Each structure stands twice: as C-alpha cells, then as structure tokens.
C-alpha cells in the first residue's frame, strides 16, 4: 500500500495493528516538526534526537490508545514531544540556576549590530536578574527563553497559574525599574 496519500488517522489505525510501513510514513511526515519542537524546548539537538526516539517508540507502543475524537495525530505527537522534552528538563535539573539564565540571555543577544551597547545592556540585565527571587527568575527564564506558556510553567513548577503570572509580572516590573526603562 502507498501511504503517501493516506490521512494521518488511517496511519494511526494501521500503526495500532502493527503496520511498520505506516509507522515509517508517519515518522517521515512528522519527525522534522517534532524535532524542531524538542530542540526549541531543550536547546540541544542531540538531546532532542533522543527525545524523538522516545516519542516514536511510545507512538509504536501506544498507537492503539490514540483517540481521534480527542485530537489529531499531529496534535497528539506535539503533546508527546513537548511532555518528553519538559520531562527531560525536569530530570536534568529541577531548579534553574542563574548560569542557565545567563547562557540563554547571552545567546539571545548574539548577532546584533552593536556589541558594546549589547554587552552593557546584557550585564545590566544579568545583574538585575540575579537580584530577583529564584521563583521569579525561573518563571521568567521558562517563559522568555524556553517559550513556555503560563500554564506550562505552572505545571512544570507545580504552582497555580495565577501565582506564575504574579511572579512574572513582579519580576518584569523589577527588571524595568532596575534597568531604567
């Protein structure tokens, strides 16, 4: 059977019945997108590749649990990938250290035209970030440098969403005052 024109839901049904060619086709369709999602979260390609292997092993093993009434295969794969990447972050280090914030912030600033101004601004921002309470540092870093939503951060830190919003708001207010914006 030629799977190039088969829809994703049919592929999932075939995978659930043990069809390796259907699995290969789903992998080829979605691996690049899922890899991009994982890289965006963990910031390391080699780790993201390991996450992809885990995701697709899980797909193979649990395809029969997929319910197309709840989500599309693409959405299901995205959630599996995102969750595995966040699990990797949790396992790596439950608490973000200020060095991680510094590295992430500096990588965001590379490539701009005026490095002297950037270095000064970067130093001021890092100085201000170091003076934030740890919970505000973590929340801001997860939101701005990892691209997580307030809800994702709340789940990651095991806190209510409203608390996360308050931490981020207070942290940003402090940064504005400290930097002088």
């Amino acid at each position: 059977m030629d799977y190039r024109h088969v829809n994703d839901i049919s592929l999932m049904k075939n995978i659930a019945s043990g069809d390796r060619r259907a699995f290969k086709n789903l992998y080829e369709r979605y691996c690049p997108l899922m890899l991009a999602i994982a890289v965006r979260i963990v910031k390391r390609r080699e780790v993201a590749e390991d996450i992809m292997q885990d995701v697709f092993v899980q797909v193979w093993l649990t395809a029969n649990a997929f319910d197309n009434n709840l989500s599309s295969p693409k959405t299901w794969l995205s959630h599996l990938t995102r969750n595995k990447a966040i699990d990797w972050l949790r396992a790596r280090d439950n608490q973000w250290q200020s060095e991680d914030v510094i590295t992430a912030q500096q990588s965001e600033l590379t490539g701009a035209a005026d490095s002297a101004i950037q270095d000064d601004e970067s130093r001021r921002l890092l100085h201000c970030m170091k003076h934030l309470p740890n919970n505000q540092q973590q929340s801001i870093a997860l939101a701005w440098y990892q691209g997580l939503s307030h809800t994702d951060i709340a789940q990651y830190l095991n806190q209510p969403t409203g608390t996360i919003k308050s931490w981020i708001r207070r942290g940003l207010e402090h940064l504005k005052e400290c930097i002088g914006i």
Side-chain angles (χ1 to χ4, degrees), residues 4-30:
R4 287 177 291 175
H5 303 292
V6 174
N7 70 38
D8 294 344
I9 293 171
S10 295
L11 280 178
M12 289 303 297
K13 288 178 184 175
N14 289 341
I15 293 168
S17 66
D19 187 333
R20 291 178 187 269
R21 286 183 36 222
F23 177 77
K24 181 180 184 239
N25 190 276
L26 185 81
Y27 178 86
E28 289 171 351
R29 280 185 196 182
Y30 289 110

Side-chain angles (χ1 to χ4, degrees), residues 169-180:
R169 182 181 43 74
R170 279 188 251 134
L172 291 176
E173 287 171 0
H174 169 76
L175 291 175
K176 284 168 111 175
E177 287 176 26
C178 183
I179 293 172

Side-chain angles (χ1 to χ4, degrees), residues 7 39 63 67 75 128-130 135 142-143 147 160 166 168 170 177:
N7 70 38
V39 167
D67 183 353
T75 301
C128 294
M129 283 290 285
K130 287 180 185 178
N135 55 15
L142 290 170
S166 295
I168 291 173
R170 279 188 251 134
E177 287 176 26

Side-chain angles (χ1 to χ4, degrees), residues 9 23 26 35 48 57 66 76 91 124 131 137 154 178 181:
I9 293 171
F23 177 77
L26 185 81
L35 183 61
V57 166
F66 171 75
W76 186 59
R124 280 191 296 162
H131 289 88
Q137 273 186 27
C178 183
I181 295 178

Side-chain angles (χ1 to χ4, degrees), residues 129 132 135-146 153 167-172 175:
M129 283 290 285
L132 289 175
N135 55 15
Q136 291 177 14
Q137 273 186 27
Q138 286 180 286
S139 299
I140 290 171
L142 290 170
W144 294 102
Y145 302 120
Q146 296 297 321
I153 296 168
W167 287 349
I168 291 173
R169 182 181 43 74
R170 279 188 251 134
L172 291 176
L175 291 175

Side-chain angles (χ1 to χ4, degrees), residues 33-44 47-49 51-52 81-82 85:
L33 176 61
M34 299 308 128
L35 183 61
I37 291 169
V39 167
R40 183 169 183 237
I41 294 170
V42 300
K43 305 292 188 210
R44 293 176 50 196
V47 172
E49 289 171 353
I51 289 168
M52 292 316 313
T81 302
R82 183 184 138 283

